[in-house]
Amino acid sequence: MNARPESASATSDISGFGASRRQFLKTSGGLVLGFSLLGPLAALAQQPATRIPASPSGGAQTFPAVDPAKLDAWLAIHPDNTATLFTGKVEQGNGSPNALAQIAAEELDFPFDKLFVVMGTTTDTVDQGPTYGSMAVRYAGPQIRHAAAAGRQVLLSMASKRLHVPVEQLTVRDGVVSVTGDTKRSITYGELVDGKRLDVTIGATGKTFGMKVAPDAKLKDPSQYTIVGTSVPRKDIPGKVTGAFTYVHDVKVPNMLHGRVVRPYGIESNLLSVDESGLKDIPGFVAVVRQRNFLGVVAKTEWGAIKAAEKLGSKLVRKGPTDGQAKWSDWQGLPAMDDLWETLRHASGKDITVAKRGDVDAALRKGAKRFKATFRTPFETHGSIGPELAIADVGKGYAKFWAGTQMPHQARRDMAELLDLPVENVEVNWVEASGQYGRNGLEPVMADAAIMSRAVGRPVRVQWMRWDSHGWDPKEPPIVQDLEGALDKDGNVTAWHHHMWVPTFSDTRLLASELIGKPVGQVHLGDAAIKYEYEFDNADVVAHGEGRVGVITAWMRAPGQLETTFAMESFIDELAAAAHQDPLAFRLKYLKEPRALAVLNAAAKQYGWKSRPSFQGRQPGSKATGRGLAWVNRDGSRVATIADVVVDRDTGGIWVKRVVVAHDCGLVISPDGMRNQIEGNVIQSMSRTLHEEITFNRAHVTSRDWASYPILTFNEIPDNIEMVFVNNSAKYPSNGGGEPSTCPTAAVISNAVYDAVGIRLRQTPFRPQRVKAALARA
Amino acid sequence: MPKTIHLKVNGKQHTVDTEPGTMLLYVLRDQLGLHGPKFGCGLSECGACTIHLDGAAVRSCVLPVTAAEGRAITTLEGLGSVDKPGPLQQAFIDEQAVQCGYCINGMIMTAQAFLDSHPNPSRDDIKQALNGNLCRCGTHMRIVRAIERAAKNWRKAS
């Protein structure tokens, strides 16, 4: 029931309903999977619909694209009066299917619990752009809203003909159309559509994020909303807590083999030789796949693949380039860890001016007091709990993938380029993966699987080992930032200088494509990743955008902006403290934007903020408490965060005890889903701030597991995370909520530590030894 | 050489042919089709693969299948189903204590074994019990609330 109708009658008494103009989905014939997602409706109802289609082998196959101008690109109504929403957006653990389905159900006047969602699969969905940048609800929401509103109009005109009354005399409730005032004369959407496809043109212009769908659709007045703005339970959770849910990690396709990669010793090492002796003794071993510097193994069982890869050198700790039966050249081209910051300052790139006002140099010279600080943030890994995985079936004239990528449509184009196939011959079946928080390795692993499948002529499932994921996923880049400021004698800011050196967070080169010498993907320069809102008379804010520095880096939740907010919001706190002023009042003096003021004031109210300068002197005992404040404008969503922290002078430990978040992303579609996201952002960014740092030697990443790359654990969670929604109203269109509340955290903690013990932490992570060292220096 | 191994999983007897050195996780997932336990690290560091062995929470990614012979293995599937979730699973649903959900198997299996021997835990006890389980989405607050809810429900019922 979750796919589009398998067949449709070409005859219809409804104008505009004709034979389908595109291939219907075939979910039978060749579909032999280890599970069924088309099973009992009860089970289906618990899980967003995910189609696992047939994989017939042999011969060229083409997979036509979906036409966004057609209603059936977005919607199918089934005879039992359930419905399916199709969207090119995907779920990454954020609950976006709920929000998007709420928007659709609202406009359709359809029961939310009977509306299922098919996401991502390239043959089934419109390319609405990748699911990143907190943009799913913001951009896909209006597209889906318009498509659903157009769908309601189509269904009403069908009902008008069937019930022989004008549309104006019809009422819809829960997918049942009735004659107003005569509920006995009614018909369900399912009966109206009668198993046919909604082959009606609703119109669409533009592409991906900018696409306008059904521009003429009559939208519901938001004052009539009954589904949008309510907390509805997520449909995937019962399956996820009982083991019934199918992740991409659980997919099995017929004839499938298991692959593992063996990465180079050094990032740019060359593969010199592979000694295959003993591999044939490993039960289930099938083949070594070697293409230039790409090396992998394929076996009939996962365990066989793991053991074979281990023999060749895939393991947690590699002692050298010849540790294992594969021998690599001894590449040592990474900077020393201590030199990373200087390396960043001298990498080539392009300057991006964020703000240029007045004469900063003169103002700095004239200032009564002058301040300087440098902020440093390291490489970080996405660290998905489930390592990256993809299944590829590459045959003659076709390639099919089962993948959890955040960008199935772009990945389809990339795989076509990698495999020298027309895009039409490539299909990406999207199936949810372990949470990903940006561009982790879910796209690169597709290339690994493609190369191995092409080599052995069978579908291959490749899962990275933990060390492949920590070692080789695209990383959040390190950033170094210099700030300078001046105060006049009255404590006013007269100069603000903020320069940052930012390696790319948009390096989409697929690792395996580089290893085989056929690079796919682009290395863009680093971006500014800052929204500078303070209105100082003299300001100079510049980002030096750079290319790849050492390792592949790509976007991770609020890319760059956790770091730039750390610097900006810590430094203004330093100036406020130097001026002996309350840090909230100090910020408010230099802000005019009403939504910025609103979140700061809302957070202060919820927290119970009392005006005073930070750091009131040494507190008795080993433990000291402090409060910290910071805010951000992340692409139009405003967030202010206040936290209380406890610093243990003896151990250097920091505990974030209470967090208050005031969050303005406009109209909140799904309040509990939004709260879940904010909690996740706060905890994850606390983890990044307190613990996380990728370490490396001159050859490769050395923090390749959870012991060497610790993250936040349960003992460290706050007592409370309190949340306030600001401007949660249809007057303010829904903006992004997947990332913004990540941004203030490092600054909040740093500022609270200062308030507690009078030291400034300007480099993450704030691990105990670093805190103790700073305390000792103070 | 593959060996025939008898396993008792969720109350049912199974016979599988597998390499004796294979870790139990792969047998459960690939041969018995039980997808509750997940591969996370293979190093016993994250807890995503947690199962019960004779009622104790253990990491199946580092447990050779032969070590599980003759013992009672319980997986997430053994605690309940979509149609009939177990009480702890129901508490996770009630608290909406999932983001991506990949770690949740470990959270529930670890918490269940803990609650079985600690029916009246404090919040700090719960945090301590779960401290070796990693969640990357940051669902910790809800996970703790779900376990508190389950414990409270059991106290009410008993």
Side-chain angles (χ1 to χ4, degrees):
Chain A
M1 301 310 298
N2 52 349
R4 290 192 179 80
E6 294 249 347
S7 60
S9 166
T11 60
S12 167
D13 57 351
I14 305 298
S15 171
F17 276 71
S20 163
R21 286 191 288 167
R22 75 181 182 95
Q23 179 89 34
F24 297 138
L25 305 178
K26 298 290 184 199
T27 52
S28 57
L31 173 63
V32 190
L33 300 169
F35 57 89
S36 172
L37 287 169
L38 306 175
L41 195 63
L44 180 62
Q46 304 296 334
Q47 174 162 341
T50 309
R51 190 181 64 100
I52 310 290
S55 180
S57 294
Q61 295 178 50
T62 56
F63 308 97
V66 176
D67 179 1
K70 292 287 191 171
L71 180 56
D72 71 0
W74 305 96
L75 188 66
I77 306 277
H78 309 295
D80 63 352
N81 212 29
T82 59
T84 305
L85 169 71
F86 298 87
T87 173
K89 292 292 170 182
V90 302
E91 167 68 301
Q92 301 172 59
N94 308 64
S96 62
N98 250 32
L100 296 175
Q102 283 179 263
I103 291 168
E106 184 71 73
E107 290 294 334
L108 276 169
D109 286 319
F110 197 79
F112 171 82
D113 59 355
K114 290 186 178 175
L115 178 65
F116 305 99
V117 187
V118 165
M119 307 189 98
T121 294
T122 54
T123 312
D124 294 350
T125 67
V126 173
D127 182 0
Q128 294 175 276
T131 308
Y132 58 26
S134 303
M135 295 194 283
V137 166
R138 180 178 183 181
Y139 291 98
Q143 293 164 352
I144 285 168
R145 184 181 181 202
H146 277 252
R152 183 179 185 276
Q153 284 173 268
V154 168
L155 290 158
L156 276 178
S157 74
M158 291 165 72
S160 162
K161 286 177 187 163
R162 286 283 289 273
L163 297 172
H164 307 292
V165 293
V167 166
E168 294 71 36
Q169 292 175 28
L170 294 173
T171 305
V172 194
R173 200 192 155 104
D174 287 345
V176 180
V177 189
S178 56
V179 176
T180 308
D182 183 5
T183 47
K184 279 185 204 138
R185 291 170 68 197
S186 68
I187 187 165
T188 68
Y189 283 175
E191 288 164 339
L192 279 171
V193 177
D194 192 26
K196 298 184 186 71
R197 300 180 64 96
L198 295 165
D199 188 12
V200 183
T201 298
I202 57 173
T205 58
K207 280 188 171 178
T208 63
F209 296 103
M211 183 185 293
K212 301 275 181 242
V213 181
D216 302 328
K218 187 172 172 291
L219 301 175
K220 187 186 268 192
D221 177 353
S223 68
Q224 304 301 305
Y225 281 173
T226 58
I227 302 170
V228 165
T230 64
S231 294
V232 288
R234 272 170 51 171
K235 293 191 176 94
D236 56 331
I237 290 181
K240 285 179 172 176
V241 300
T242 55
F245 188 87
T246 299
Y247 292 89
V248 69
H249 313 258
D250 305 320
V251 172
K252 294 178 178 66
V253 302
N255 216 19
M256 181 180 91
L257 297 171
H258 293 274
R260 289 294 185 276
V261 293
V262 182
R263 294 304 191 202
Y265 171 74
I267 283 172
E268 293 180 30
S269 287
N270 289 313
L271 180 53
L272 304 177
S273 67
V274 180
D275 169 9
E276 296 195 23
S277 61
L279 294 180
K280 284 195 173 60
D281 301 332
I282 295 172
F285 171 76
V286 173
V288 168
V289 177
R290 178 181 176 180
Q291 191 176 346
R292 210 165 143 163
N293 289 320
F294 178 87
L295 185 62
V297 294
V298 177
K300 288 178 185 159
T301 62
E302 280 197 83
W303 193 244
I306 290 167
K307 297 314 280 182
E310 187 181 12
K311 258 186 174 314
L312 296 186
S314 170
K315 48 190 165 183
L316 178 57
V317 178
R318 284 166 87 171
K319 295 192 190 86
T322 57
D323 181 11
Q325 291 180 206
K327 312 296 180 198
W328 303 85
S329 65
D330 189 12
W331 183 86
Q332 297 278 341
L334 286 178
M337 272 190 80
D338 290 347
D339 288 342
L340 178 61
W341 317 109
E342 279 309 301
T343 305
L344 296 181
R345 288 181 193 281
H346 296 106
S348 65
K350 196 178 156 194
D351 288 356
I352 303 154
T353 300
V354 178
K356 205 99 191 170
R357 206 177 302 146
D359 186 340
V360 169
D361 291 338
L364 282 170
R365 278 195 307 274
K366 277 189 253 164
K369 284 186 189 165
R370 193 168 164 175
F371 305 88
K372 255 176 121 160
T374 295
F375 293 81
R376 297 175 178 89
T377 46
F379 288 109
E380 295 166 337
T381 181
H382 296 79
S384 301
I385 296 294
E388 290 82 344
L389 175 144
I391 301 167
D393 175 12
V394 180
K396 204 172 158 50
Y398 76 91
K400 304 176 79 150
F401 294 85
W402 289 263
T405 167
Q406 62 169 212
M407 45 171 66
H409 291 271
Q410 179 59 44
R412 180 194 194 202
R413 295 187 282 271
D414 288 347
M415 289 304 114
E417 186 184 341
L418 178 75
L419 296 165
D420 293 312
L421 283 169
V423 172
E424 295 70 38
N425 297 70
V426 178
E427 179 181 65
V428 177
N429 297 284
W430 178 83
V431 190
E432 188 176 341
S434 180
Q436 51 217 257
Y437 330 108
R439 185 179 176 89
N440 65 351
L442 279 166
E443 293 79 29
V445 75
M446 293 172 74
D448 295 324
I451 290 166
M452 287 199 235
S453 174
R454 180 170 62 182
V456 300
R458 284 174 63 175
V460 179
R461 172 191 188 268
V462 177
Q463 182 156 23
W464 286 0
M465 301 302 285
R466 174 46 53 201
W467 44 87
D468 298 322
S469 184
H470 269 64
W472 295 85
D473 81 318
K475 301 284 180 294
E476 173 75 356
I479 300 177
V480 59
Q481 304 175 71
D482 286 343
L483 285 96
E484 279 190 77
L487 297 174
D488 67 15
K489 61 179 175 33
D490 301 318
N492 298 306
V493 178
T494 53
W496 181 273
H497 166 104
H498 182 174
H499 280 214
M500 59 204 91
W501 287 263
V502 189
T504 178
F505 34 70
S506 185
D507 179 349
T508 58
R509 282 279 179 79
L510 299 165
L511 175 59
S513 77
E514 290 198 337
L515 295 173
I516 65 169
K518 184 186 192 310
V520 173
Q522 279 84 41
V523 187
H524 298 284
L525 293 181
D527 211 339
I530 189 168
K531 178 89 172 124
Y532 172 78
E533 296 257 43
Y534 290 112
E535 303 200 2
F536 303 127
D537 292 339
N538 301 291
D540 169 23
V541 182
V542 175
H544 307 278
E546 303 170 353
R548 184 185 301 177
V549 178
V551 305
I552 294 176
T553 48
W555 54 91
M556 178 165 157
R557 206 169 201 172
Q561 206 163 354
L562 170 63
E563 294 88 335
T564 59
T565 307
F566 171 40
M568 179 164 70
E569 284 294 297
S570 297
F571 194 63
I572 194 166
D573 216 76
E574 296 192 27
L575 297 184
H580 305 292
Q581 292 181 31
D582 173 74
L584 172 64
F586 194 75
R587 284 172 171 81
L588 293 176
K589 278 202 297 185
Y590 300 104
L591 289 170
K592 293 205 174 79
E593 205 277 318
R595 293 175 81 167
L597 300 176
V599 288
L600 281 161
N601 286 320
K605 185 177 172 205
Q606 172 67 27
Y607 175 83
W609 186 270
K610 304 266 189 300
S611 181
R612 64 165 173 83
S614 295
F615 188 51
Q616 304 281 289
R618 177 154 184 162
Q619 298 171 30
S622 62
K623 289 186 177 167
T625 303
R627 65 178 192 183
L629 161 73
W631 83 284
V632 74
N633 177 346
R634 163 99 184 131
D635 207 9
S637 291
R638 282 81 165 176
V639 180
T641 304
I642 302 174
D644 286 336
V645 308
V646 180
V647 182
D648 187 327
R649 291 176 162 278
D650 295 338
T651 64
I654 295 170
W655 178 44
V656 180
K657 182 177 164 51
R658 178 191 177 205
V659 182
V660 171
V661 177
H663 196 276
D664 175 3
C665 61
L667 177 67
V668 176
I669 308 295
S670 203
D672 189 61
M674 191 68 255
R675 284 192 288 271
N676 203 350
Q677 279 300 286
I678 294 171
E679 288 176 21
N681 273 286
V682 167
I683 298 268
Q684 191 182 64
S685 54
M686 278 173 53
S687 177
R688 292 170 68 178
T689 301
L690 296 175
H691 295 293
E692 298 183 26
E693 176 170 33
I694 285 287
T695 59
F696 48 92
N697 57 24
R698 306 301 293 270
H700 59 230
V701 167
T702 51
S703 49
R704 288 148 58 97
D705 68 343
W706 296 116
S708 51
Y709 188 91
I711 61 173
L712 196 89
T713 55
F714 276 90
N715 275 339
E716 304 169 273
I717 65 173
D719 284 341
N720 291 302
I721 300 175
E722 300 159 41
M723 290 160 271
V724 185
F725 295 141
V726 179
N727 291 326
N728 178 12
S729 135
K731 275 190 288 186
Y732 300 93
S734 302
N735 212 304
E739 306 172 319
S741 49
T742 277
C743 301
T745 305
V748 167
I749 296 173
S750 173
N751 295 339
V753 167
Y754 174 77
D755 188 45
V757 294
I759 58 165
R760 289 287 175 186
L761 298 174
R762 301 190 186 97
Q763 180 170 348
T764 61
F766 305 158
R767 290 185 184 168
Q769 60 271 35
R770 181 167 280 156
V771 176
K772 272 179 84 169
L775 282 165
R777 281 196 304 271
Chain B
M1 288 302 291
K3 190 182 158 196
T4 299
I5 291 184
H6 304 281
L7 295 173
K8 190 179 176 193
V9 187
N10 300 330
K12 260 175 75 180
Q13 283 292 344
H14 296 269
T15 303
V16 294
D17 290 326
T18 186
E19 274 304 296
T22 305
M23 298 306 163
L24 178 63
L25 174 67
Y26 302 100
V27 175
L28 294 173
R29 289 183 52 82
D30 294 342
Q31 293 185 261
L32 301 182
L34 293 165
H35 296 153
K38 306 282 194 290
F39 174 75
C41 62
L43 301 164
S44 191
E45 291 178 351
C46 75
C49 64
T50 304
I51 57 150
H52 292 176
L53 201 61
D54 293 334
V58 299
R59 308 270 162 110
S60 67
C61 73
V62 291
L63 185 76
V65 62
T66 44
E69 276 192 292
R71 305 176 69 178
I73 300 164
T74 307
T75 69
L76 186 63
E77 290 89 341
L79 299 190
S81 63
V82 167
D83 293 331
K84 210 177 165 194
L88 183 56
Q89 291 167 325
Q90 185 62 51
F92 272 70
I93 296 169
D94 293 341
E95 291 290 340
Q96 295 283 289
V98 170
Q99 290 188 55
C100 85
Y102 199 87
C103 72
I104 290 297
N105 167 73
M107 300 300 170
I108 293 178
M109 297 309 287
T110 304
Q112 182 72 59
F114 168 71
L115 289 174
D116 286 345
S117 52
H118 302 80
N120 196 10
S122 69
R123 175 169 280 212
D124 282 345
D125 293 339
I126 292 170
K127 291 197 282 189
Q128 187 57 40
L130 290 176
N131 209 44
N133 286 70
L134 300 180
C135 165
R136 184 58 165 158
C137 294
T139 318
H140 304 65
M141 308 293 286
R142 286 168 185 247
I143 291 168
V144 170
R145 288 203 293 270
I147 297 164
E148 285 179 330
R149 177 191 278 257
K152 200 170 145 197
N153 288 344
W154 283 331
R155 283 199 298 276
K156 261 195 246 162
S158 59

